[in-house]
Amino acid sequence: MNPLNKLLWLLIAFSVIAHAEEEPTSKMAVSAPNVYIASDSEGFSTYKYNAGFFPLYEHGEKYTGVSYQHNYFTQSGWDSSAEVYTLLTKAINPRTGLGYNANIGYNLQNGHKLITTDSNYGFRVTDSTKAELILNRDRVETQNSLNNGIYYTMGAASVEQQVLERLTAIAMVGNMYFSDTNTRPLVRAKLIYDLVPDYGLTAQLRYRQYRDTNTTVPNNYFNPDHYTETMIAFGARKRISGWMLSGTAGVGRQKVSQDPSTTTQLYEFAATSPVASNSYYFKTRAGYGKSAGFLGPNYFYRYVMEELIIPF
């Protein structure tokens, strides 16, 4: 077993013990139906259906259990499917957003086997500084990549610093390692200013940049020599009757390698029910983004997802 898998299993074992010690009368819960649906301007569609069982459950952001997911992809007469089995544990403080989410999955698609993870750990460094460690490993979801078994592993770290009372800066650095020998160093940054704190209205300046170290690999995915994007966005976040509602709308400019800069767009909306141990937990998110892709600067995608957890 490699060090990554050992670490994830240790985190899961630790969580099981912690749950048992902290809450000996912990509830159980099931999570279903969970759905993620997406499509893009290249005709690629994604459908993911997930169900889980949590024998250790305290609330919608703290539980340990297992899940099963069926993935289905289609594009221009082509289709492919995958089965994903995951062991997961999560403990996030709903007020601060800090804590851990650790999981390890087994993905079987087209005869290709892959150990996956989508894990992170957020913690407070000082009263004004937060940090997060991120580890992702999954398949690259394009037709060529799925046919050829291409996957990536990404490690990243981010720091959130409160600069002034109403100004926050966030910076993230990371690297994606693709199984086709390409690597992608990446940087993301945000400046967030609270326009109207009582209503959760913010103005945001966003920046992201990455480069691909090997652009000669087959076109399994969009891999330009260099990509940058700068965006101005406005966000809203408000709690209404216990529900957390949030949204973002942004417009920016992107530059792909030596091509002229073009327009990008981003629109997202999310809703989350109150976090309570004795009630259902529901969250949903929908979004639309326009950026660059295989066929040029006007690539766009849209998605919708929902998750429902029912304790008993």
Side-chain angles (χ1 to χ4, degrees):
M1 183 180 291
N2 63 42
L4 166 61
N5 293 346
K6 289 181 180 179
L7 175 60
L8 291 172
W9 281 106
L10 286 173
L11 285 172
I12 292 169
F14 171 79
S15 176
V16 171
I17 295 172
H19 273 278
E21 292 180 349
E22 295 175 6
E23 190 66 41
T25 60
S26 178
K27 295 178 179 292
M28 296 184 182
V30 293
S31 179
N34 301 331
V35 177
Y36 174 88
I37 299 174
S39 62
D40 66 18
S41 56
E42 297 171 358
F44 188 88
S45 297
T46 301
Y47 304 88
K48 297 182 179 180
Y49 307 101
N50 182 288
F53 171 62
F54 310 135
L56 298 173
Y57 180 83
E58 293 191 30
H59 55 70
E61 294 293 338
K62 188 171 185 180
Y63 51 78
T64 295
V66 295
S67 73
Y68 165 77
Q69 182 168 295
H70 177 74
N71 296 345
Y72 178 72
F73 307 94
T74 180
Q75 184 177 33
S76 302
W78 167 90
D79 66 82
S80 181
S81 61
E83 314 303 322
V84 186
Y85 307 89
T86 303
L87 181 63
L88 62 151
T89 184
K90 184 178 185 180
I92 303 294
N93 186 321
R95 291 188 297 273
T96 65
L98 300 177
Y100 63 83
N101 174 32
N103 58 67
I104 183 168
Y106 174 75
N107 182 304
L108 178 61
Q109 180 153 11
N110 297 335
H112 300 290
K113 303 173 184 178
L114 181 67
I115 299 298
T116 63
T117 186
D118 181 10
S119 302
N120 60 280
Y121 173 53
F123 55 97
R124 188 174 294 278
V125 180
T126 69
D127 290 342
S128 61
T129 307
K130 300 177 184 179
E132 184 178 19
L133 303 177
I134 303 165
L135 181 63
N136 299 137
R137 192 172 195 248
D138 207 347
R139 300 195 184 280
V140 179
E141 295 179 354
T142 66
Q143 183 177 151
N144 286 345
S145 293
L146 293 173
N147 286 337
N148 296 323
I150 304 300
Y151 63 90
Y152 71 90
T153 303
M154 186 191 80
S158 71
V159 175
E160 177 180 323
Q161 177 67 49
Q162 184 175 346
V163 181
L164 301 171
E165 182 179 357
R166 296 168 63 175
L167 181 65
T168 302
I170 304 174
M172 186 192 83
V173 295
N175 205 344
M176 296 180 71
Y177 302 87
F178 293 89
S179 58
D180 61 5
T181 73
N182 181 35
T183 62
R184 178 179 291 177
L186 55 92
V187 176
R188 296 178 184 174
K190 291 183 188 177
L191 278 176
I192 304 174
Y193 181 75
D194 289 332
L195 289 173
V196 187
D198 291 343
Y199 291 92
L201 298 178
T202 63
Q204 306 173 17
L205 178 62
R206 299 182 171 203
Y207 176 80
R208 64 185 179 117
Q209 169 186 311
Y210 65 83
R211 64 182 180 88
D212 287 284
T213 60
N214 187 353
T215 58
T216 64
V217 296
N219 286 329
N220 293 312
Y221 49 88
F222 179 59
N223 62 326
D225 175 71
H226 192 79
Y227 179 88
T228 59
E229 178 191 61
T230 303
M231 176 176 287
I232 296 175
F234 293 92
R237 183 179 175 87
K238 182 68 174 178
R239 191 177 297 278
I240 301 176
S241 299
W243 283 73
M244 178 59 72
L245 306 179
S246 63
T248 303
V251 177
R253 301 291 293 179
Q254 67 181 347
K255 187 170 178 58
V256 181
S257 300
Q258 305 304 315
D259 296 340
S261 64
T262 54
T263 301
T264 63
Q265 301 176 37
L266 176 65
Y267 306 98
E268 290 184 314
F269 171 79
T272 304
S273 71
V275 176
S277 62
N278 59 351
S279 179
Y280 73 91
Y281 180 70
F282 175 80
K283 59 182 178 181
T284 184
R285 181 184 296 272
Y288 168 90
K290 178 184 175 184
S291 59
F294 274 124
L295 302 182
N298 294 318
Y299 169 83
F300 67 82
Y301 66 91
R302 55 209 165 195
Y303 72 90
V304 61
M305 62 80 66
E306 65 82 21
E307 178 184 349
L308 175 64
I309 302 177
I310 303 173
F312 59 91

